[in-house]
């Protein structure tokens, strides 16, 4: 198939590029080479076979031209991270939502009716919990006095009692908590509108915590695995927030690339509309354990548990990987303990 890959030069996009080519697809690459992600001079040094376009301001003629003869669009171009403060809101909206809307409008003009969209587990907010008395509940926002007293687990919103986490399935309620999360769910909603108008088919891949070679090194927008890895490189101990028992699902970038290739190949067999899938290893890992595995792999200093808590952080987000196994034939191949140990020495991307 001929696939337009946006964000082709990014951490995830570049691994999807390899995987699609390996599976015999023809990849047409588009990337804006944003200085924020690639450094100030990167645009001038970009490879000649990449369409250097920013979806926010590319002309209609430019977008229509790159879409010529395309079977499927695999849309990875995005501004990532949790956001630093409210001043980030317009940039998330412009890159992720205006950019996607312009891409979808161009697909409609040219007649491309299949889309694979990079979405995120952040659309679920603080995951899913069970209260022994009130069943399946959204967790209450964590109270400042609880956090200050070292109680990091959320409470039942009805009785204030203890809750236990459960895996999120794709039908879990949508509760974006950050600018980034809002922009990712808006992408899914724009794609859904496009599907209705164009009889389009889209698969939204809700990535959990992606890590692996080529991860951007320590920036204000980096995920925790890169932050810990960069600290170890400087000979410093990883600084683990809360009590280190917060849980995530770490999924290797090569597994994410595989999920994308499978989605590209199967999106035509999906119903009209957006079908979301969790892209996850299905193997819970605490942040404290992740720091320890990384540290041990390089004989580095023991992680320090700081007790700090960030207001926007969620406590536990675990995915059910079952729907992706059924609908895409995707099962993560790399166990987090192996991939994370390798991350200790994997090359990182530097701006
Ligand atoms: C991360 C990404 C988010 C992405 C999501 C799913 C970032 C900043 N966040 O969200 O964009 O959509 O995965 O792929 O890229 N922590 C520490 N020490 C630190 C930094 C963080 O202990 O120095 C802890 C945090 O308190 C949190 C956990 O690590 O509990 C994960 O943090 P982080 O990687 O920033 O964000 P996620 O919410 O997991």
């Amino acid at each position: 198939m001929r696939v337009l890959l946006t964000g082709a030069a990014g951490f995830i996009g570049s691994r999807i590029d390899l995987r699609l080519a390996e599976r015999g697809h023809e990849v047409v690459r588009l990337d804006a080479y944003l200085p924020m992600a690639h450094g100030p001079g990167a645009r001038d040094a970009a490879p000649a076979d990449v369409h250097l376009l920013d979806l926010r301001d590319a002309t209609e003629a430019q977008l229509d031209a790159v879409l010529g003869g395309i079977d499927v669009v695999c849309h990875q171009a995005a501004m990532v991270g949790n956001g630093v403060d409210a001043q980030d809101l317009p940039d998330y909206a412009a890159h992720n939502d205006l950019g996607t809307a312009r891409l979808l409008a161009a697909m409609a003009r040219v007649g491309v009716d299949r889309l694979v969209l990079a979405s995120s587990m952040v659309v679920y907010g603080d995951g899913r919990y069970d209260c022994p008395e009130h069943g399946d509940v959204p967790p209450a926002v964590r109270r400042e006095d609880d956090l200050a007293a070292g109680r990091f687990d959320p409470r039942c919103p009805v009785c204030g009692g203890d809750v236990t986490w459960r895996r999120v399935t794709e039908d879990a309620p949508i509760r974006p908590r950050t600018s980034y999360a809002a922009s990712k769910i808006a992408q899914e909603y724009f794609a859904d509108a496009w599907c209705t108008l164009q009889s389009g088919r889209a698969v939204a891949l809700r990535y959990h915590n992606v890590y692996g070679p080529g991860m951007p090194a320590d920036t204000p927008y980096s995920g925790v695995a890169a932050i810990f890895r960069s600290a170890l490189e400087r000979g410093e101990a990883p600084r683990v927030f809360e009590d280190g028992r917060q849980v995530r699902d770490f999924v290797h970038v090569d597994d994410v690339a595989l999920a994308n290739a499978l989605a590209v190949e199967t999106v035509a067999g999906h119903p009209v509309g957006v079908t979301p899938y969790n892209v996850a290893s299905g193997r819970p890992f605490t942040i404290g354990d992740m720091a320890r595995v990384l540290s041990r792999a390089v004989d580095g200093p023991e992680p320090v548990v700081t007790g700090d808590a960030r207001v926007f952080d969620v406590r536990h987000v675990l995915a059910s990987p079952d729907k992706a196994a059924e609908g895409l034939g995707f099962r993560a191949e790399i166990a987090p303990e192996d991939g994370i140990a390798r991350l200790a020495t994997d090359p990182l991307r530097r701006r």
Side-chain angles (χ1 to χ4, degrees), residues 5 8 12-22 27 29 257:
L5 177 61
I12 298 175
S14 54
R15 306 301 276 202
I16 297 174
D17 187 358
L18 294 174
R19 188 66 81 143
L20 287 174
E22 241 170 54
V27 184
R29 302 173 184 87

Side-chain angles (χ1 to χ4, degrees), residues 81-82 120-122 180 207-210 221-224 227-228 239-241 246 248 287 310 313-314:
N82 288 325
S120 171
M121 61 78 159
V122 291
Y180 173 65
Y207 304 160
H208 284 251
N209 288 59
V210 188
Y221 299 91
S222 292
V224 67
I227 293 173
F228 288 173
R239 295 179 63 77
V240 178
F241 299 156
Q246 60 273 47
R248 293 291 189 279
I287 298 298
R310 300 184 301 189
D313 267 331
V314 296

Side-chain angles (χ1 to χ4, degrees), residues 120-135:
S120 171
M121 61 78 159
V122 291
V123 303
Y124 300 124
D126 205 347
R128 250 182 142 162
Y129 293 82
D130 271 325
C131 166
E133 228 178 289
H134 301 99

